[in-house]
Amino acid sequence: MRSSLALVPDADDAFSASVTERLDAVESRMREVVATSDDMVRWTARHLLDAGGKRVRPLLTLLAGSFGDMSRDAVIDAAVLVELTHLATLYHDDVMDDAPTRRGARTAHEVWSNSVAILTGDFLFARASALSSALGPEAVIIHAETFERLCLGQLHETVGPSPEDDPFAHYLSVLADKTASLIASAGRLGALQAGCEPAVADVFARYGEKVGVAFQLADDVLDLRSDPETSGKTPGTDLKEGVPTMPTLLVRRRAASPEADPRTARLVSLLDAARDGGPALDRALALLREDEAVEETAAMARTLGAEAVAILEELPDAPGRAALIDVTHALTDRAA
């Protein structure tokens, strides 16, 4: 399935066609890499793969590769590597969040079991690791470091901030590790495997760290505002699990102020009760959707997106840069 976002500029038809062709190659290659003779894993490993998705990370890998030789097979494998790693984390995340749906389909743990979903994620990590070894020692190191950050981000989110930690700094560090690390690696691997100079790969690493956090902040907003029929997500999952998001952190900070209004205090009370689900969760969602904290979060996403675009200005003026700017706006403005 091709990216569902119109991210490649229409002005350069040849470039758009080449990226589309390579995205199709990534999709085919992913199915080759996860293929197995094991009857069980054959179905579980393709469960989320067949559900589709935006394929943001492979697209960023290819666009980074366009600053070198995007036609190299290694660029395709780098794109497959980052997407399989992403899919593996989704299997694990859905178990930890007890999410019933993902991309409009029942989650793997709902179809089979928690253990099957976790082990399927591990299987995909293994196949991604095999790809990294084929790409060379530098790719192995990048992938291992990213995998470490993904685990640390999930661990820190699960445990939460310590009493002496600033909750906002803690949350942003979780987003950097859980989301931005893999997006940064996608661009970095794409550039390196395309033969770009290390300085170009460094631009993509810095860009990915910015746009990855912006992407997740926008996702915090989208989770509250989106229609589950079109987004494939269940609104309020984080609220029910008691997982902090930027809007809820902003509301709680406002509630701690001496000038806090009764509406904010009521919203905090509902947020605390939302873990029980039912009417409390529905009321908390309805009230939070209309709170100023949601727009504040969207504004943060747009600011970080602008900073990411500024980093892209260090790249040569090329169709790939124009496409990346379009990608950035699509990722960070989607919750507007």
Side-chain angles (χ1 to χ4, degrees):
M1 177 178 292
R2 297 175 185 171
S3 169
S4 61
L5 297 175
L7 299 177
V8 182
D10 296 330
D12 193 322
D13 292 339
F15 181 75
S16 178
S18 67
V19 173
T20 298
E21 180 183 350
R22 302 305 282 171
L23 280 171
D24 288 341
V26 169
E27 205 69 27
S28 297
R29 180 71 172 130
M30 275 198 291
R31 279 160 172 72
E32 291 175 10
V33 171
V34 303
T36 174
S37 59
D38 187 283
D39 288 338
M40 181 69 180
V41 181
R42 181 184 308 152
W43 298 110
T44 62
R46 288 191 52 163
H47 183 68
L48 282 182
L49 187 62
D50 290 343
K54 295 182 287 294
R55 304 293 191 245
V56 169
R57 292 153 192 84
L59 179 60
L60 291 174
T61 305
L62 295 178
L63 293 177
S66 72
F67 289 84
D69 184 0
M70 188 175 61
S71 67
R72 292 182 179 183
D73 289 341
V75 177
I76 295 293
D77 278 354
V80 173
L81 160 65
V82 296
E83 187 66 4
L84 289 185
T85 302
H86 172 58
L87 289 174
T89 67
L90 297 185
Y91 279 88
H92 290 175
D93 285 353
D94 287 341
V95 170
M96 298 190 72
D97 296 341
D98 196 25
T101 60
R102 166 76 68 175
R103 296 175 176 175
R106 291 176 67 202
T107 48
H109 71 91
E110 288 279 335
V111 176
W112 293 284
S113 69
N114 284 352
S115 295
V116 168
I118 291 168
L119 291 168
T120 301
D122 293 345
F123 171 81
L124 293 179
F125 273 129
R127 290 294 170 96
S129 296
L131 275 180
S132 73
S133 67
L135 293 175
E138 188 170 18
V140 172
I141 293 172
I142 292 171
H143 188 234
E145 291 174 345
T146 305
F147 192 10
E148 177 180 330
R149 288 184 64 188
L150 291 169
C151 293
L152 287 174
Q154 185 62 65
L155 178 64
H156 291 155
E157 179 182 80
T158 302
V159 174
S162 63
E164 63 270 17
D165 286 338
D166 174 66
F168 290 89
H170 177 272
Y171 183 65
L172 291 174
S173 72
V174 166
L175 300 191
D177 286 339
K178 279 193 64 177
T179 302
S181 64
L182 188 55
I183 290 178
S185 293
R188 189 178 173 197
L189 284 168
L192 290 173
Q193 296 304 319
C196 297
E197 293 294 323
V200 174
D202 178 65
V203 169
F204 284 107
R206 289 184 285 117
Y207 162 80
E209 294 289 345
K210 289 282 188 183
V211 80
V213 175
F215 174 67
Q216 191 57 56
L217 289 174
D219 212 49
D220 283 354
V221 175
L222 200 63
D223 182 57
L224 297 171
R225 290 179 171 174
S226 66
D227 180 350
E229 294 296 323
T230 56
S231 69
K233 298 181 180 181
T234 304
T237 298
D238 288 332
L239 290 182
K240 187 175 181 181
E241 293 301 312
V243 176
T245 62
M246 185 56 71
T248 61
L249 287 173
L250 290 169
V251 168
R252 291 184 184 278
R253 182 174 67 180
R254 194 168 71 241
S257 167
E259 292 81 27
D261 59 274
R263 180 185 181 280
T264 301
R266 177 169 175 264
L267 176 52
V268 169
S269 178
L270 286 170
L271 292 176
D272 291 336
R275 298 192 69 168
D276 296 330
L281 176 61
D282 293 338
R283 288 196 297 270
L285 267 173
L287 206 58
L288 186 57
R289 283 189 181 113
E290 302 302 321
D291 195 88
E292 62 191 54
V294 178
E295 182 50 41
E296 284 183 61
T297 302
M300 290 180 191
R302 292 191 293 269
T303 297
L304 281 170
E307 293 173 4
V309 168
I311 293 172
L312 293 176
E313 296 298 333
E314 299 176 30
L315 296 170
D317 186 7
R321 190 178 76 177
L324 282 161
I325 291 172
D326 283 356
V327 167
T328 306
H329 289 309
L331 296 180
T332 58
D333 297 347
R334 62 206 169 104

